[in-house]
């Protein structure tokens, strides 16, 4: 993604454009199903856990909101990405990038809450998610005005990841299982590598493309996050 220029229209050209069972760009489209599933599983878990007294996974009730935002955004990412890949163009890309920006900023708020300050993480959740959504709206608006600018969206995604990594390295979480975040970041890095080598991966065996693998790895990353909060307890109660 070129963050200082217009969206390169070659971005919409993916290595695997096969149609299967009437589904256009089938593997890039359907490989989003794990994201959709894990997002729904996360929401179900939070709903059931809200009244649980058996295991304290959130010391402050407000800490749940970041994960509500995260799993809701992941669910919408699965839907939005499928919609985009059925007929890739800039207009549909909005509905892919919008929930992605919400997911990254919600995760950043969660990490601030767990590693820096619970109060500040809760307070910053809405402003961060508004920034994420606004960055996508601004990108699309600027493109329609003929002065496309991807930098705010790049900050929402890559800036959030950089901040999460910095917090993970420098600040201890108040919860057990916190080291899982490094596996999550590794899955993210591998997903980006797969995306970059979309065509080369597809050419190796013509079975699956790098972009489809990206979606699957993203699903694994979110599943790791879900398992992290399912199994964790506060350190003082561990």
């Amino acid at each position: 993604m070129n963050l200082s220029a217009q969206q390169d229209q070659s971005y919409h050209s993916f290595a695997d454009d096969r149609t299967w069972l009437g589904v256009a760009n089938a593997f890039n489209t359907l490989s989003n199903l794990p994201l959709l599933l894990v997002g729904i599983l996360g929401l179900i878990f939070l709903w059931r856990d809200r009244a649980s007294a058996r295991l304290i996974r959130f010391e402050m009730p407000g800490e749940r909101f970041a994960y509500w935002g995260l799993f809701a955004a992941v669910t919408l990412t699965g839907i939005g990405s499928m919609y985009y890949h059925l007929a890739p163009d800039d207009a549909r890309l909005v509905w892919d990038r919008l929930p992605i920006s919400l997911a990254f900023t919600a995760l950043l708020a969660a990490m601030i809450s767990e590693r820096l300050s619970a109060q500040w993480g809760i307070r910053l959740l809405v402003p961060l998610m508004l920034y994420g959504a606004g960055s996508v709206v601004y990108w699309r608006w600027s493109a329609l005005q003929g002065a496309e600018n991807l930098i705010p969206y790049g900050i929402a995604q890559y800036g959030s990841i950089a901040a999460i990594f910095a917090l993970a390295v420098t600040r201890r979480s108040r919860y057990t299982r916190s080291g899982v975040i490094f596996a999550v970041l590794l899955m993210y890095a591998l997903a980006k590598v797969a995306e970059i080598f979309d065509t080369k991966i597809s050419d190796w065996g013509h079975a699956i493309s790098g972009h489809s693998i990206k979606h699957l790895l993203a699903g694994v990353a979110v599943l790791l996050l879900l398992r992290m909060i399912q199994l964790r307890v506060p350190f003082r109660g561990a």
Side-chain angles (χ1 to χ4, degrees):
M1 182 172 65
N2 188 339
L3 300 179
S4 61
Q6 294 183 347
Q7 177 71 65
D8 187 346
Q9 291 306 297
S10 66
Y11 178 88
H12 304 301
S13 299
F14 300 98
D16 192 344
D17 59 359
R18 292 173 291 176
T19 297
W20 183 61
L21 297 178
V23 179
N25 305 306
F27 292 95
N28 283 341
T29 300
L30 298 176
S31 58
N32 284 287
L33 288 173
L35 270 176
L36 176 61
L37 176 61
V38 74
I40 292 172
L41 289 175
L43 294 173
I44 292 172
F45 164 73
L46 291 173
W47 177 258
R48 291 177 175 175
D49 182 68
R50 76 196 191 287
S52 174
R54 292 180 302 167
L55 188 65
I56 299 174
R57 300 178 179 94
F58 300 94
E59 289 187 301
M60 295 180 62
E63 291 184 83
R64 280 189 177 85
F65 293 140
Y67 286 101
W68 277 111
L70 171 64
F71 291 121
V74 168
T75 301
L76 293 174
T77 297
I79 296 170
S81 188
M82 284 191 284
Y83 174 71
Y84 165 65
H85 280 288
L86 286 170
D89 62 16
D90 281 356
R92 286 182 174 236
L93 186 56
V94 171
W95 303 108
D96 186 7
R97 284 181 170 169
L98 184 58
I100 287 174
S101 69
L102 295 173
F104 279 115
T105 50
L107 180 57
L108 174 57
M111 293 300 105
I112 291 172
S113 179
E114 293 163 17
R115 294 175 180 269
L116 195 60
S117 165
Q119 291 81 3
W120 274 109
I122 295 168
R123 290 171 184 169
L124 289 172
L125 174 62
V126 171
L128 284 170
M129 293 185 74
L130 284 175
Y131 174 80
S135 72
V136 178
V137 172
Y138 174 73
W139 158 64
R140 184 58 179 157
W141 175 83
S142 66
L144 293 174
Q145 300 303 308
E148 190 167 10
N149 187 354
L150 280 166
I151 292 176
Y153 173 70
I155 293 172
Q157 181 176 164
Y158 299 109
S160 293
I161 289 296
I164 289 166
F165 179 75
L167 285 169
V169 169
T170 62
R171 305 288 296 194
R172 178 181 175 179
S173 173
R174 292 182 290 111
Y175 298 96
T176 61
R177 309 279 179 170
S178 60
V180 171
I181 193 63
F182 291 106
V184 172
L185 293 173
L186 176 61
M187 289 299 106
Y188 170 82
L190 292 175
K192 298 306 290 185
V193 170
E195 180 182 38
I196 291 169
F197 293 100
D198 181 36
T199 299
K200 289 186 177 181
I201 292 172
S202 178
D203 288 345
W204 283 342
H206 302 285
I208 191 169
S209 69
H211 202 85
S212 295
I213 292 175
K214 171 196 172 183
H215 294 158
L216 298 175
L217 289 173
V220 171
V222 181
L223 180 60
L224 289 173
L225 283 171
L226 175 56
R227 293 300 292 160
M228 179 186 77
I229 62 172
Q230 285 176 330
L231 299 174
R232 75 184 188 180
V233 293
F235 265 113
R236 68 186 183 197

